[in-house]
């Protein structure tokens, strides 16, 4: 809401790898969309994809969630959540742009079913599914080879929580809760427990105790338990120590 320009570049890239990608470039405050290839149609065709990249820009100018480990997974999750809320899709990201086959699923990620029957917790970097509960959390090193600590993998856990919250509260209330928590309460190194607490607080302030309890219950269903009220978490979810330098999305 600060009047910044929205810079969006299509037909991006000079390689096959570039063409199969969409991204938010924080240093340039710019979105880029490739034209697709073997796996994807042109990425700008997908409203969930565009909403996802727009949200990375909002995050970059609000919570500034560091792009590694749990804070990075939250960065990816909020982008997914607002992508599907903007598009009013059926909780799937990328269905509009996926070519299936050869891609093994008709969507990129599902917030309703992050596993998609494809996630292997013993080898989380292989396959296309995600964990939907903390007991499947991928404890990966913070490196580019390991997806910056699993930012595109562990995002399935807060994604599933968001789906459960929206199922309980409805999309209109949920998007207000998510936005308030993300823009007012989260800090760059926020983890899943911080986010659960922030969303419960936002729900309490916006709507009341019943909605706050629904948020707590949803997070509890994915293995992240917080106490009643706004006093903070009662148990710690695992998180790797962060590196000294945060990689860009």
């Amino acid at each position: 809401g600060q009047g910044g320009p929205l810079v969006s570049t299509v037909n991006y890239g000079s390689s096959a790898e570039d063409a199969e990608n969409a991204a938010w470039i924080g240093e340039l405050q710019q979105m880029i969309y490739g034209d697709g290839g073997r796996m994807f149609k042109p990425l700008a065709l997908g409203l969930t994809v565009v909403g996802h990249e727009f949200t990375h820009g909002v995050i970059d100018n609000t919570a500034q969630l560091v792009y590694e480990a749990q804070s990075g997974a939250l960065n990816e999750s909020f982008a997914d959540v607002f992508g599907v809320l903007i598009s009013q899709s059926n909780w799937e990201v990328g269905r509009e742009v996926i070519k299936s086959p050869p891609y093994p699923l008709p969507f990129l990620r599902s917030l309703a079913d992050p596993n998609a029957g494809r996630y292997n917790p013993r080898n989380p970097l292989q396959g296309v599914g995600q964990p939907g509960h903390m007991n499947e959390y991928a404890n990966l090193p913070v490196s580019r080879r390991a997806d910056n600590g699993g930012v595109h993998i562990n995002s399935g856990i807060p994604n599933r929580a968001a789906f459960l919250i929206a199922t309980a509260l409805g999309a209109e209330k949920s998007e207000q809760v998510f936005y308030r928590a993300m823009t007012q309460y989260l800090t760059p190194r926020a983890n899943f427990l911080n986010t659960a607490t922030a969303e419960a607080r936002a729900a309490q302030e916006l709507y009341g105790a019943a909605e706050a309890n629904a948020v707590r219950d949803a997070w509890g269903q994915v293995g992240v338990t917080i106490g009643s009220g706004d006093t903070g978490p009662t148990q710690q979810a695992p998180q790797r120590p962060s590196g000294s330098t945060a990689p860009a999305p």
Side-chain angles (χ1 to χ4, degrees):
Q2 297 182 24
L6 298 174
V7 182
S8 186
T9 302
V10 297
N11 310 122
Y12 174 81
S14 56
S15 70
E17 184 179 8
D18 287 341
E20 294 267 54
N21 192 33
W24 163 256
I25 309 300
E27 295 89 342
L28 302 177
Q29 299 283 290
Q30 178 178 1
M31 293 166 286
I32 57 171
Y33 300 93
D35 286 335
R38 193 172 76 91
M39 292 288 188
F40 295 104
K41 302 172 187 176
L43 276 300
L45 286 173
L47 185 53
T48 56
V49 177
V50 175
H52 177 106
E53 303 307 342
F54 263 88
T55 305
H56 277 312
V58 176
I59 294 166
D60 209 32
N61 287 279
T62 56
Q64 300 179 345
L65 292 163
V66 175
Y67 203 68
E68 61 185 36
Q70 284 194 18
S71 57
L74 288 165
N75 197 317
E76 280 298 316
S77 176
F78 277 115
D80 279 352
V81 168
F82 282 104
V84 298
L85 287 169
I86 288 165
S87 68
Q88 300 182 23
S89 70
N90 55 351
W91 295 97
E92 294 169 351
V93 177
R95 179 176 280 271
E96 318 99 312
V97 299
I98 287 288
K99 294 180 180 179
S100 181
Y103 199 77
L105 294 171
F107 50 79
L108 190 59
R109 288 182 292 276
S110 169
L111 281 68
D113 180 20
N115 282 190
R118 303 265 182 169
Y119 179 66
N120 180 0
R122 288 183 294 273
N123 197 354
L125 290 170
Q126 299 299 315
V128 295
Q130 298 176 287
H133 192 279
M134 287 302 296
N135 61 17
E136 300 174 323
Y137 185 87
N139 197 17
L140 295 167
V142 176
S143 67
R144 293 190 69 85
R145 184 182 294 273
D147 188 34
N148 293 330
V151 299
H152 292 93
I153 298 169
N154 291 316
S155 59
I157 297 169
N159 276 1
R160 173 69 178 165
F163 167 76
L164 294 170
I165 292 168
T167 300
L169 302 186
E172 290 187 7
K173 284 186 176 180
S174 298
E175 64 189 7
Q176 297 301 319
V177 168
F178 300 147
Y179 189 79
R180 185 179 181 89
M182 182 181 79
T183 59
Q184 295 194 28
Y185 303 138
L186 295 187
T187 58
R189 295 285 181 182
N191 62 20
F192 293 173
L193 276 166
N194 302 144
T195 304
T197 304
E199 289 178 356
R201 176 182 175 185
Q204 176 76 44
E205 292 171 347
L206 288 170
Y207 302 113
E211 286 81 1
N213 286 333
V215 170
R216 295 186 190 98
D217 179 68
W219 277 99
Q221 289 184 59
V222 301
V224 179
T225 304
I226 59 173
S228 61
D230 296 328
T231 57
T234 58
Q235 74 181 44
Q236 181 65 47
Q239 181 174 6
R240 290 187 59 83
S242 60
S244 58
T245 302

